[in-house]
Amino acid sequence: QVQLVESGGGLVQAGGSLRLSCAASGSIVAIRSTGWYRQAPGKQRELVATITYGSTNYGDSVQGRFTIARDISKNTVDLQMNTLKPEDTAVYYCYAAGRYRDYWGQGTQVTVSS
């Protein structure tokens, strides 16, 4: 069993930056793909960014603005968000793909004003 805990969410003005962090604990074995998804009210959860063996994948709407980084030794995955837009407002969820199941964090709220 794996537990994922997000931190770093909050309120920021349009054009600003924010850094999210996800810490994993528990039976961290055979986890290959990790990353971030987000969900706004009334919308489906969508891909933000994932990383697998150093290879990254970004959603079209965040390409060039967000950067994902993984520290295997510390069991953390971070998301640096720059040039934030109001449409980035959502609950951001940490994600990890295990050998037999997927894991999700509780989510952290990101709100971009004006």
Side-chain angles (χ1 to χ4, degrees):
Q1 186 172 333
V2 175
Q3 183 176 13
L4 305 175
V5 180
E6 304 98 332
S7 63
L11 175 65
V12 64
Q13 290 185 323
S17 299
L18 206 60
R19 193 196 318 274
L20 305 182
S21 183
C22 175
S25 62
S27 301
I28 309 173
V29 60
I31 293 180
R32 300 180 178 182
S33 181
T34 67
W36 296 86
Y37 286 72
R38 68 186 183 186
Q39 187 168 25
K43 296 185 177 181
Q44 285 192 316
R45 190 170 298 184
E46 67 173 349
L47 167 72
V48 177
T50 59
I51 183 167
T52 307
Y53 298 130
S55 180
T56 59
N57 184 36
Y58 293 93
D60 291 341
S61 63
V62 307
Q63 180 71 46
R65 299 188 297 119
F66 292 9
T67 303
I68 188 171
R70 183 183 183 183
D71 190 331
I72 298 178
S73 65
K74 296 181 179 180
N75 296 320
T76 59
V77 57
D78 291 356
L79 182 70
Q80 177 65 46
M81 305 183 294
N82 298 324
T83 319
L84 284 161
K85 306 174 181 179
E87 48 263 47
D88 294 319
T89 296
V91 177
Y92 284 69
Y93 296 91
C94 184
Y95 161 83
R99 176 65 178 84
Y100 302 106
R101 60 162 291 184
D102 297 338
Y103 300 92
W104 296 91
Q106 290 296 305
T108 184
Q109 177 71 45
V110 172
T111 302
V112 184
S113 64
S114 300

